[in-house]
């Protein structure tokens, strides 16, 4: 009975330290190795300002010439297969077609290229180069292709603003999901630590009071026996 609170406290401390270590390892892994799948695929080049009707050319630098595919992820997150280029530089587009009215594909040594003939809002999104190595799919870093955001003209008569509302807006901050998760984790760890600790202290206090009462009763019995 006396060892249960101590054991619970040790288990809680171990759990909190384990969770904290896992979070730190994940952050360290993301900083040191942000894309483990792209070791065989080179970093993409920067894409400048796009315009409707512009020709967009993408490149994927690899260390092998065993074939690669291009995949498009639209704004809604849906993936679309575009083309597969084999080791003989032969391109196979969606639907097993040799050509495409929207795209062009080619290979030069270990460089795989994709060209959007005439860029449209439908072509916005992220483009990935995918290779199959050792029965695993390796994705290149995403190449973002988006049209410039359109700005709306403000009304000629601005709405009245007050000093209080301006001050309130300036104090708004963007929430940090990682910071909030860390705060919640620390809060639960503190609860798991202090509640068992308080229970153990309470049990020790009760045991001390019981011991004092028993000692007093024993002394009274001894005194009566001597008389």
């Amino acid at each position: 009975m006396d060892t249960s609170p101590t054991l619970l406290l040790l288990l809680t401390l171990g759990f909190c330290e384990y969770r904290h270590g896992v979070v730190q390892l994940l952050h360290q892994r993301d900083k040191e190795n942000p894309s483990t799948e792209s070791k065989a695929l080179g970093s993409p080049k920067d894409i400048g300002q796009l315009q409707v009707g512009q020709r967009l050319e993408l490149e994927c630098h690899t260390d092998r010439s065993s074939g690669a595919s291009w995949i498009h992820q639209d704004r809604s997150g849906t993936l679309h297969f575009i083309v597969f280029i084999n080791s003989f530089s032969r391109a196979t587009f969606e639907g097993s077609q040799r050509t495409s009215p929207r795209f062009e594909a080619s290979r030069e040594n270990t460089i795989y290229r994709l060209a959007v003939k005439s860029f449209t809002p439908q072509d916005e999104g992220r483009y990935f180069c995918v290779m199959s190595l050792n029965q695993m799919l390796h994705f290149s870093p995403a190449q973002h292709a988006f049209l410039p955001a359109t700005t709306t003209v403000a009304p000629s008569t601005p709405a009245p603003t007050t000093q209080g509302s301006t001050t309130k807006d300036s104090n708004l901050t963007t929430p940090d999901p990682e910071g909030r998760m860390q705060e919640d984790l620390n809060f639960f760890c503190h609860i798991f630590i202090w509640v068992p600790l308080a229970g153990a202290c309470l049990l020790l206090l009760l045991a001390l009071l019981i011991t004092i009462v028993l000692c007093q009763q024993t002394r009274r019995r001894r005194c009566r026996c001597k008389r």
Side-chain angles (χ1 to χ4, degrees):
M1 178 176 176
D2 295 336
T3 59
S4 297
T6 305
L7 180 61
L8 180 61
L9 179 61
L10 293 176
L11 290 176
T12 303
L13 288 173
F15 171 76
C16 292
E17 290 297 329
Y18 170 77
R19 290 292 302 273
H20 181 71
V22 170
V23 173
Q24 294 296 330
L25 286 175
L26 288 176
H27 288 311
Q28 183 178 2
R29 185 199 66 178
D30 293 338
K31 291 180 180 180
E32 294 179 356
N33 194 8
S35 180
T36 57
E37 299 95 348
S38 60
K39 291 181 179 179
L41 303 174
S43 300
K45 64 180 181 180
D46 295 333
I47 299 176
Q49 289 283 2
L50 292 176
Q51 297 179 359
V52 176
Q54 176 183 347
R55 179 182 175 88
L56 173 64
E57 296 184 355
L58 304 174
E59 291 184 355
C60 179
H61 296 258
T62 71
D63 58 356
R64 303 188 184 186
S65 58
S66 57
S69 300
W70 282 97
I71 294 178
H72 173 226
Q73 183 183 28
D74 58 19
R75 282 184 171 272
S76 63
T78 305
L79 296 177
H80 304 274
F81 170 79
I82 299 177
V83 64
F84 170 73
I85 309 171
N86 61 14
S87 57
F88 300 101
S89 302
R90 181 176 299 175
T92 303
F93 292 90
E94 182 181 7
S96 301
Q97 300 296 323
R98 295 299 180 186
T99 60
S100 171
R102 296 170 53 195
F103 303 101
E104 292 179 357
S106 62
R107 183 182 72 87
E108 182 180 354
N109 296 329
T110 58
I111 301 177
Y112 294 84
R113 293 185 174 90
L114 175 70
V116 183
K117 297 180 181 180
S118 180
F119 197 84
T120 63
Q122 181 183 357
D123 300 319
E124 287 187 311
R126 300 170 178 84
Y127 290 84
F128 300 89
C129 180
V130 185
M131 294 185 65
S132 177
L133 300 176
N134 298 327
Q135 297 181 353
M136 293 182 61
L137 292 178
H138 296 262
F139 286 76
S140 68
Q143 302 191 47
H144 302 261
F146 294 95
L147 294 171
T150 57
T151 57
T152 57
V153 180
S156 57
T157 57
T161 58
T162 60
Q163 184 70 22
S165 62
T166 304
T167 305
K168 183 177 180 181
D169 294 338
S170 62
N171 293 331
L172 294 178
T173 57
T174 303
D176 186 6
E178 296 183 357
R180 182 61 180 276
M181 181 184 67
Q182 188 67 29
E183 291 178 0
D184 294 340
L185 181 60
N186 294 334
F187 174 74
F188 286 112
C189 285
H190 287 314
I191 291 179
F192 290 144
I193 291 174
W194 289 109
V195 170
L197 184 61
C201 293
L202 181 60
L203 291 177
L204 292 176
L205 181 61
L206 291 176
L208 181 61
L209 292 177
I210 293 174
T211 303
I212 294 174
V213 172
L214 292 177
C215 290
Q216 290 179 354
Q217 291 179 357
T218 304
R219 288 180 181 179
R220 290 179 182 177
R221 291 178 182 177
R222 289 181 181 178
C223 293
R224 291 178 183 178
C225 292
K226 289 181 179 180
R227 290 180 183 180

